[in-house]
């Protein structure tokens, strides 16, 4: 309830102090959830998250105060260039974009799967709302550079990871890079990118939590628990990688097309190349989950679980939307 209320406060505000208050309440609401596990890693993750978020919020308050001193008003949509740059960098800290990303995989790794899901999806809504409100004043060069760096670093860093939560965290950094590129061009494409990211990330975290898959080693035995779930995870991973004709391909295709329309062909090529490392580790995860058999046989007979519970029905619905959503943007563009 605290998370939802604080995010709504930030999303509905037009005053910098009210937006800052919502961000602070949002941070304070998530801290007990992260450290609820009562483990040293959870405590460390909570401390890191608090320090980063508090520093970013203080920077936002300082920049907004300086903006009010210059302009005489506290409106979010009316900011000067120095204040806009400072606030943008502070929001990048909150979102975990490169080069301010080092804390993000560690915090996600120190949390449970459900908490990592909240951090990777809901906690990004409030900072992104402020970026949406400021999109006319955002420094384009800084946004493009940070977006490209995030897509590159997120993909390259995840190649050597074996922890699924860290892989999903670095995947989140790469997707936020694509979202920052989209914010410079078209808010409709940005919204489509955000919704696709939230849908696919939610599906992956719920699947990982249901199969208790914490490392890539656990992926080899996932097929014996639920063949339906492993098949769905393979499709979701391919969609996260941006393979056509799945849903994850549509936002990347629209972003690359708009970059070409803006005479940024080199940027478009670099973003396309930056998606290749991400696609590599998505394909590797899909291979380990669906095409690899463990070295020993299962000890129990009839391990296959074809009975579908409520969680699996929800995930199957998400998978069907993953398959069907590509038709909608194609029809609208025609």
């Amino acid at each position: 309830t605290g998370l939802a209320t604080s995010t709504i406060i930030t999303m509905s505000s037009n005053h910098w102090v009210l937006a800052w208050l919502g961000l602070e309440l949002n941070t304070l609401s998530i801290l007990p959830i992260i450290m609820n596990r009562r483990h040293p890693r959870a405590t460390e993750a909570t401390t890191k998250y608090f320090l980063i978020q508090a520093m970013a919020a203080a920077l936002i308050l300082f920049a907004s105060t300086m903006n009010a001193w210059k302009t005489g008003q506290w409106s979010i949509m009316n900011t000067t260039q120095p204040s806009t740059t400072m606030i943008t960098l502070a929001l990048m800290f909150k979102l975990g974009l490169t080069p301010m990303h080092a804390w993000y995989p560690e915090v996600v790794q120190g949390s449970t799967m459900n908490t990592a899901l909240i951090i990777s999806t809901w906690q990004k809504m409030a900072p992104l709302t402020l970026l949406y409100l400021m999109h006319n004043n955002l420094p384009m060069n800084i946004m493009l550079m940070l977006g490209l760096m995030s897509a590159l670093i997120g993909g390259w860093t995840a190649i050597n990871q074996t922890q699924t939560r860290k892989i999903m965290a670095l995947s989140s950094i790469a997707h936020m890079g694509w979202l920052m590129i989209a914010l410079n061009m078209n808010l409709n494409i940005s919204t489509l990118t955000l919704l696709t990211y939230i849908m696919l990330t939610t599906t992956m975290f719920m699947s990982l939590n249901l199969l208790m898959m914490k490392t890539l080693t656990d992926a080899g035995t996932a097929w014996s628990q639920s063949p339906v779930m492993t098949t769905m995870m393979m499709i979701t991973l391919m969609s996260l990688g941006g393979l056509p004709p799945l849903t994850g391909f549509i936002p990347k295709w629209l972003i690359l097309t708009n970059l070409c329309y803006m005479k940024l062909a080199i940027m478009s090529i670099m973003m396309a190349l930056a998606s290749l490392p991400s696609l590599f580790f998505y394909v590797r995860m899909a291979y380990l989950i669906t095409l690899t058999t463990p070295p020993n046989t299962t000890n129990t007979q009839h391990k296959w679980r074809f009975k579908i519970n409520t969680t699996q029905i929800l995930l199957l619905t998400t998978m069907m939307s993953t398959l069907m959503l590509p038709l909608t943007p194609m029809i609208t563009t025609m």
Side-chain angles (χ1 to χ4, degrees), residues 52-100:
I52 291 294
Q53 299 295 319
M55 181 182 64
L59 189 58
I60 290 173
L61 183 61
F62 171 73
S64 60
T65 304
M66 186 174 67
N67 178 73
W69 178 48
K70 290 285 186 181
T71 63
Q73 54 184 337
W74 289 89
S75 175
I76 295 177
M77 299 182 184
N78 190 1
T79 55
T80 60
Q81 194 60 41
S83 301
T84 303
T85 303
M86 292 178 62
I87 293 171
T88 302
L89 293 176
L91 293 175
M92 298 304 165
F93 261 105
K94 281 187 166 292
L95 292 171
L97 269 80
T98 305
M100 295 83 73

Side-chain angles (χ1 to χ4, degrees), residues 32-288:
I33 299 177
I34 299 176
M35 66 173 135
N36 189 39
R37 198 157 56 114
R38 302 183 185 278
H39 190 275
R41 285 187 178 178
T43 306
E44 179 185 352
T46 306
T47 305
K48 289 179 179 177
Y49 189 84
F50 170 73
L51 291 176
I52 291 294
Q53 299 295 319
M55 181 182 64
L59 189 58
I60 290 173
L61 183 61
F62 171 73
S64 60
T65 304
M66 186 174 67
N67 178 73
W69 178 48
K70 290 285 186 181
T71 63
Q73 54 184 337
W74 289 89
S75 175
I76 295 177
M77 299 182 184
N78 190 1
T79 55
T80 60
Q81 194 60 41
S83 301
T84 303
T85 303
M86 292 178 62
I87 293 171
T88 302
L89 293 176
L91 293 175
M92 298 304 165
F93 261 105
K94 281 187 166 292
L95 292 171
L97 269 80
T98 305
M100 295 83 73
H101 69 283
W103 63 273
Y104 188 67
E106 301 299 325
V107 170
V108 172
Q109 178 62 27
S111 310
T112 61
M113 283 290 182
N114 291 330
T115 306
L117 170 61
I118 296 174
I119 295 173
S120 300
T121 54
W122 184 260
Q123 288 300 96
K124 296 185 183 296
M125 299 295 289
L128 285 173
T129 301
L130 296 180
L131 289 175
Y132 267 71
L133 293 173
M134 297 168 56
H135 78 279
N136 289 325
N137 301 324
L138 292 176
M140 181 176 179
N141 293 333
I142 295 178
M143 296 286 287
L144 291 176
M145 181 184 67
L146 292 179
L148 177 60
M149 289 175 59
S150 298
L152 283 170
I153 299 299
W156 280 110
T157 311
I159 289 179
N160 290 328
Q161 298 296 330
T162 58
Q163 301 288 330
T164 54
R165 279 170 290 186
K166 278 194 175 182
I167 291 175
M168 292 305 299
L170 293 165
S171 167
S172 174
I173 293 172
H175 279 89
M176 284 296 108
W178 284 89
L179 184 57
M180 291 305 106
I181 301 291
L183 273 173
N184 283 283
M185 300 179 297
N186 192 317
L187 291 184
N188 293 327
I189 298 177
S190 304
T191 305
L192 176 63
T193 305
L194 178 61
L195 292 177
T196 304
Y197 161 77
I198 290 176
M199 179 182 66
L200 296 176
T201 304
T202 303
T203 305
M204 275 304 301
F205 271 113
M206 291 177 69
S207 302
L208 294 172
N209 188 33
L210 198 62
L211 296 175
M212 293 182 290
M213 191 186 303
K214 295 182 179 180
T215 64
L216 292 181
T217 308
D218 301 331
T221 56
W223 65 272
S224 62
Q225 299 184 34
S226 177
V228 177
M229 191 71 65
T230 52
T231 305
M232 187 196 62
M233 287 182 68
M234 180 190 68
I235 297 175
T236 306
L237 285 167
M238 295 298 100
S239 186
L240 277 170
L243 283 182
L246 301 174
T247 307
F249 169 71
I250 295 298
K252 294 184 178 181
W253 175 48
L254 293 175
I255 291 171
L256 295 178
T257 304
N258 277 269
L259 284 174
C260 293
Y261 286 156
M262 296 173 64
K263 310 296 183 184
L264 295 172
I266 297 178
M267 184 74 179
S268 178
I269 294 172
M270 294 180 70
M271 288 298 295
L273 293 176
S275 66
L276 294 180
S278 299
L279 180 61
F280 171 79
F281 68 77
Y282 289 135
V283 171
R284 183 183 62 179
M285 282 187 67
Y287 174 80
L288 292 173

